[in-house]
Each structure stands twice: as structure tokens, then as C-alpha cells.
Amino acid sequence: MELKVREVSTKKEIKEFVKFQIELYKGNPFYVPPLLDFELSTLLKEKNPAFDHADAKYWVAEKKGKIVGKIAAIVLDEELKNKSLARFGWIDFVDDKQVSNLLFETAADWVTSKGATAIHGPIGFTDLDFEGALIEGFDELATQATIYNHPYYIDHYRTWGLEASATWSENRLKMPDEVPERLEKGARIVSERYGIQVKKFKKAREIKKYANGVFDVLNDAYSHLYGYHKLTQKQIDYYVDQYFGMVRKDFVKILVDREDKVIGFAISLPSLSRAFQKAKGSLFPFGFIHVLRAFQSNKHVDLFLIGVLPDYQKLGASAVIIHELTREYIKRKVELVTSGPMLEDNSNVLMSWKDYELLPGSIRRSCFIKKL
């Protein structure tokens, strides 16, 4: 039977769409499967508020009745209007260029019909979705918030004519035995001089009071970064409901000014990578047990998001956040911290961790683009 492509749209079909990657990477010790329910919530139009100003289609490639690849094509109204640009994401395929080319061409045909003259990816609806194909670090354990892909993907990308448009690095950092004196002094001076305070929470649910402020900072601090589009209030509410119930209060740091307005934040979690591998895409019936264990006792932390309002970045407020995180990690006996993806031209962020030992093992990922 010849290779063919099929659009998927029902909940059942989209679930099969997501599960293909879990089958593709079965047995791979570095791949971390996503939670199916979270992926479905992102991809279903009735769930994700991004569809208020976006459109998307999903396809699978099949050979002899078996799925051998998948791709999503996404059009954001603002990006299409201002840049004639569309997106692809959720892409996986076997090592067969007929398969990958068919997927790319199918996505390109649809976005061209919508008015796009270029396509880039892998990238999702927002900066909080999976983005960036892995180009280095294939033998490093992925986090639950990043893409893992086989090395052959990059050759397929380039064969179709895609070129790198942005590159991110992730660091593995060894925690020091004590807070560096330079950082301790700098954080104290900045806090006292500009009236910056770190919020203390007795219970995790108290953090929700500051959730909107956190996303306001995110929208401001990230607005100039590659592929970022400001989140609407409806999207903010969605992410608060999705993720703020899962935070561990001691690993969330929120900075406020004298008026109790959020001016910076950092969100980290105990690494759930091994737990997600054991859960195999589902919290039930037993997956949640692995997640709870990892959540409560873990010497490895993933730092997902960190942001400071631009005016306070200039005043050195980033040092206050790094100081607070370091103090907390040492207190909790954390040994290893994995940073989130950092754009390689974002020198301010890259310099934030200069006091720490960078462990070997480069992890880099890129977004790719092609004119249509």
C-alpha cells in the first residue's frame, strides 16, 4: 500500500496522533513522554483559548495502514498578518524522507492557502508549548517541557530546505555548597536600594494571587524574544488553571516592589522526567504515584521560566532571583539544576549563572524556517 497522508480532527484521532511519538521512542532512555491529557488540552479547539486568534490542522502519514509520521500546521492571526509567517509543530516521523517530505508539503500547502509565504518550527501556539528541534544532546535526559527527537530529523529538515532561524541552549548546573559571596552581596544591595521583596508563602494556593502579575511580567520581559506573542487574559487564565495547581511553593520565587506589584519571578519544579517515563503518558491509574514521589523527594530540579521586568533587569533584580533560588536549592539539598532553553543571543540570561559549575553535555535546539 502506498504512502498516504490523512487529516485528523476528532478527539480519538488526535489522541492517536499524540501517542505515535510515544511508540516511536519506546525504549529510548532519553525521551520523556508528554502527559496525554495535557497534549489533548493544547490541541483541541474546544479546550485551548489560543484558537480564539489562531487556526491549526493535524495530519498523520500512513504506510500499510500504520502511522509513520505526524505534523501540525498552525496559523496565528497576528503572525500571519504582520509577517506572512506560519508554524509547524508536533512533528515526528520514521527515518524515511518520503514520509517527512509528504508531511512538510502537506503543511506547506495548507498554510500557503491561508496566505503564508514562510513556515517555521517546530514551535507551538505559544512560548509555553514545545519548541525547538534538538540538534545537540541526544544522549542527555530530556525535561518534561522540551522536545526530544532522533538525530536524523535535522537531515530531513535540511533536505526539505529548512534553515535554522533561532537556537537555544540548556545548561546542566551543579549547585555550590554555599551561596557565592558576590551574589549574596549583590542581591542584598539591589533589594535594599530598590525596595525589592521576595514573597513568602505558607501554602501553594497563595501563589495564585500573584499569577496574573507573573504573566504580565512574562508578556513584557519576553515580548522581544523569538516567536513570542503576548498572551491574552483568557490564555493566562487557562495556564493558571493548568499549571499553578502543580507548583511546589518553595521552588517558586516571586519578586515584588514596595506596592506589592510583581516585578520578577522564577518557576522551577523537581525533575519529573523519570517519573513521566514511568507514567508512559498517563497519570492514571498508577502514573501519579511516580510523579508524587519525584515531586516530594528529588535532588534534580528543572528551572522552567524566569523573568524580570526590563526596567528592573537594568537595576540588577535578576541577581535577587538567582540568589533566592540558590539559597533554596542548597537548603533542599538539590545537586543538579537544568535550565530552560535560553536563546544563544540572550547574553543577560546566559550570564546569570556564571558563578556555577557548568556540567559537560551540551544541549542545543533550533527552530527552522523556509520560504514557500
Side-chain angles (χ1 to χ4, degrees):
M1 184 180 294
E2 65 179 18
L3 178 67
K4 65 178 183 180
V5 68
R6 171 171 60 89
E7 183 181 349
V8 297
S9 58
T10 68
K11 185 176 180 178
K12 181 181 178 181
E13 290 173 334
I14 294 174
K15 191 172 183 178
E16 292 176 343
F17 173 92
V18 174
K19 290 177 75 173
F20 167 70
Q21 69 193 78
I22 297 176
E23 289 298 316
L24 183 65
Y25 292 98
K26 190 173 182 179
N28 187 306
F30 308 111
Y31 169 73
V32 177
L35 290 179
L36 290 174
D37 287 345
F38 276 41
E39 289 288 86
L40 286 173
S41 182
T42 301
L43 296 172
L44 291 172
K45 293 184 178 182
E46 61 268 28
K47 295 280 189 177
N48 190 347
F51 282 98
D52 289 349
H53 50 82
D55 196 5
K57 284 187 180 293
Y58 318 123
W59 298 271
V60 293
E62 295 177 318
K63 198 169 189 178
K64 298 181 179 179
K66 181 181 179 181
I67 296 177
V68 290
K70 66 182 179 71
I71 193 171
I74 301 166
V75 172
L76 302 185
D77 294 346
E78 181 182 356
E79 193 170 61
L80 183 65
K81 179 181 177 182
N82 296 334
K83 299 181 179 181
S84 299
L85 185 60
R87 303 179 167 208
F88 71 88
W90 284 272
I91 181 168
D92 286 289
F93 44 81
V94 298
D95 192 6
D96 182 336
K97 288 182 179 176
Q98 285 187 319
V99 173
S100 59
N101 284 342
L102 178 61
L103 292 169
F104 282 129
E105 290 295 338
T106 301
D109 286 345
W110 181 70
V111 301
T112 300
S113 74
K114 304 289 284 187
T117 58
I119 189 168
H120 68 146
I123 192 168
F125 296 91
T126 78
D127 201 60
L128 300 182
D129 293 328
F130 297 112
E131 60 186 9
L134 192 65
I135 60 172
E136 287 184 35
F138 300 100
D139 57 353
E140 297 285 344
L141 181 65
T143 74
Q144 62 267 36
T146 56
I147 291 172
Y148 184 87
N149 53 263
H150 287 304
Y152 65 75
Y153 279 38
I154 308 308
D155 180 43
H156 286 239
Y157 282 14
R158 297 194 185 283
T159 296
W160 192 65
L162 287 156
E163 298 179 350
S165 53
T167 300
W168 295 265
S169 293
E170 296 165 40
N171 289 333
R172 299 287 198 271
L173 303 161
K174 181 181 178 182
M175 278 296 99
D177 295 328
E178 58 185 27
V179 179
E181 184 179 347
R182 184 198 66 82
L183 181 60
E184 184 91 49
K185 181 179 178 181
R188 183 176 65 253
I189 291 172
V190 171
S191 295
E192 292 174 354
R193 182 174 296 170
Y194 302 111
I196 297 172
Q197 298 180 18
V198 181
K199 296 301 297 185
K200 305 296 183 185
F201 302 105
K202 292 182 179 179
K203 297 180 180 179
R205 66 172 178 265
E206 295 173 358
I207 299 173
K208 276 196 173 184
K209 174 183 175 182
Y210 296 89
N212 276 299
V214 165
F215 281 101
D216 287 342
V217 172
L218 186 73
N219 274 338
D220 200 345
Y222 281 48
S223 62
H224 66 290
L225 298 182
Y226 184 89
Y228 190 86
H229 291 270
K230 289 191 175 185
L231 301 173
T232 65
Q233 186 59 51
K234 193 171 177 181
Q235 286 177 296
I236 290 172
D237 293 341
Y238 169 79
Y239 284 120
V240 170
D241 289 340
Q242 282 277 88
Y243 299 113
F244 269 68
M246 293 181 61
V247 298
R248 183 169 152 177
K249 65 179 179 61
D250 41 329
F251 287 167
V252 175
K253 301 301 174 184
I254 294 178
L255 304 188
V256 297
D257 62 14
R258 292 185 176 92
E259 283 72 47
D260 205 39
K261 177 186 175 183
V262 179
I263 59 96
F265 70 91
I267 298 175
S268 57
L269 278 175
S271 175
L272 301 178
S273 296
R274 295 297 186 195
F276 275 31
Q277 286 179 330
K278 293 174 182 177
K280 298 178 181 178
S282 179
L283 288 176
F284 301 100
F286 304 115
F288 76 94
I289 296 174
H290 304 298
V291 173
L292 282 176
R293 285 175 179 168
F295 205 76
Q296 293 168 357
S297 178
N298 205 322
K299 294 183 178 181
H300 181 183
V301 167
D302 291 332
L303 177 58
F304 288 116
L305 287 173
I306 184 168
V308 176
L309 288 175
D311 288 346
Y312 280 90
Q313 290 178 24
K314 299 173 185 175
L315 300 178
S318 297
V320 181
I321 290 186
I322 301 299
H323 170 264
E324 286 298 315
L325 287 173
T326 305
R327 198 162 64 100
E328 194 68 55
Y329 294 158
I330 293 173
K331 178 182 177 182
R332 304 293 173 184
K333 303 187 184 306
V334 171
E335 297 176 355
L336 175 66
V337 175
T338 302
S339 75
M342 301 173 290
L343 283 164
E344 292 191 339
D345 59 1
N346 193 345
S347 57
N348 288 337
V349 173
L350 294 171
M351 287 295 291
S352 296
W353 300 100
K354 62 182 180 181
D355 290 317
Y356 302 99
E357 180 182 348
L358 181 63
L359 296 178
S362 177
I363 303 170
R364 301 172 68 231
R365 59 189 68 250
S366 290
C367 191
F368 293 80
I369 193 168
K370 179 183 178 178
K371 292 184 179 179
L372 303 175

